[in-house]
Structure formats: C-alpha cells, structure tokens
Amino acid sequence: FGALFLSILVGLPLGILAAGSKRTGRALLSAAGVVQTIPSLALLCFLIPLLGTGLLPALVALFLYGLLPIARNTAAGLEDIPSPLLESARALGLSERAQLLSIRLPLASRTILAGIKTTAIINVGTATLAACIGAGGFGAPISTGLNLNDTNLILQGAIPAAGLSLLAEALF
C-alpha cells in the first residue's frame, strides 16, 4: 500500500501534466511505458546494486510499475471531458486550478480510479517476486515451494496473494 500511495502521489500530477501538454505528455507516458516493459525480476535485479536487497528495492519497483496505469488513466480521463463543459467553466470565470479541482478531476475520477485499481492489483502480483531479493511476503513460500517442488508450500503463498488481489478488487 505504501508503493501504491507513492504511485498515486506521483502518477496523478504526471497524468495532469500529460493531459495539459501533448508533447510533454507523450514523453512522460512513453518513459513510464518503457519502465513498464522491464521484466519484474530484471527490475528488481537492477535495483539491488543501488538499494541493496530487502523491502526498499521491492517498494521502488512496485512504485515504478504503478506510475503508468495511474498517469495514463488520469490523462485519458481528463482528455475525455466534453469541451462544452470546460467552456462553461471558463465562461463562469473559474481559474485553471478551480477548473481542475472542481470540474475536471471529479469528472475524470472514474477513469482515474480504474488506473489506481489496476495498479493495486498489479502490485499484489508483482510483490510476490520481491521474495527473490529477500523482501519476504507471500512470495517466500512460493519461492521455497518451487525450489522444493512442494505444491502445498506454493499454494501457501499463492492462495493468500490471490485473496489479497480479490480484496483489493472488492475495495474498489
């Protein structure tokens, strides 16, 4: 949840910026897309020399993977607002900040929340790989079970991870 929170704190402003400037927006979303294409285990391995092993590199990886869905959905939600609504807000004399906070973000909230929901579910699945770098969690019994060829041990990690994913889905 810490990584999700940080992804929201950074991803929302990135999405707002991406919606406001097409050139900058494409560059930001492309950069987030490149990070998303790095395989999870590879990203964790890249982070080890920088951050060591354990929880910190796992949180950084989850944070990075959470940026694209949140930023892209925020930008998409803001770009899909009908222009007559935005023209009405300008005609009323609302400042850009007031338009963003009172009109644009509330209208885009369903799309933004879909990105946050996607990130939360991605984080649950990706977090199980963090056991490979000593971060523990539900991935630890999965990893041990794979090494020992023990299906019951694998399920001891996989079932709670799936349950957490379903819980995240239900919370949204």
Side-chain angles (χ1 to χ4, degrees):
F1 290 109
L4 175 63
F5 181 71
L6 290 174
S7 294
I8 293 168
L9 283 180
V10 175
L12 276 173
L14 283 178
I16 292 168
L17 186 60
S21 169
K22 295 295 180 199
R23 176 174 280 169
T24 303
R26 267 190 238 116
L28 289 172
L29 294 177
S30 294
V34 167
V35 170
Q36 194 78 29
T37 64
I38 300 170
S40 306
L41 198 51
L43 181 60
L44 290 169
C45 291
F46 290 148
L47 292 173
I48 289 172
L50 300 171
L51 305 172
T53 60
L55 187 59
L56 184 60
L59 289 175
V60 170
L62 294 174
F63 158 74
L64 290 171
Y65 281 130
L67 289 177
L68 181 64
I70 293 171
R72 177 155 290 162
N73 277 38
T74 299
L78 292 172
E79 290 168 354
D80 286 345
I81 296 171
S83 51
L85 291 174
L86 298 176
E87 290 170 15
S88 297
R90 281 191 290 275
L92 289 172
L94 292 176
S95 67
E96 287 293 322
R97 179 177 165 81
Q99 288 179 45
L100 179 67
L101 296 175
S102 300
I103 308 291
R104 298 181 81 209
L105 287 175
L107 288 173
S109 63
R110 288 176 56 105
T111 306
I112 294 169
L113 283 174
I116 293 170
K117 178 179 171 179
T118 300
T119 293
I121 292 168
I122 287 171
N123 278 358
V124 171
T126 306
T128 58
L129 291 173
C132 297
I133 60 166
F138 294 134
I142 294 171
S143 180
T144 303
L146 287 171
N147 288 333
L148 299 174
N149 197 22
D150 184 345
T151 304
N152 289 330
L153 199 51
I154 294 169
L155 291 175
Q156 286 178 14
I159 291 172
L164 185 57
S165 178
L166 293 172
L167 178 63
E169 177 80 27
L171 288 174
F172 284 94

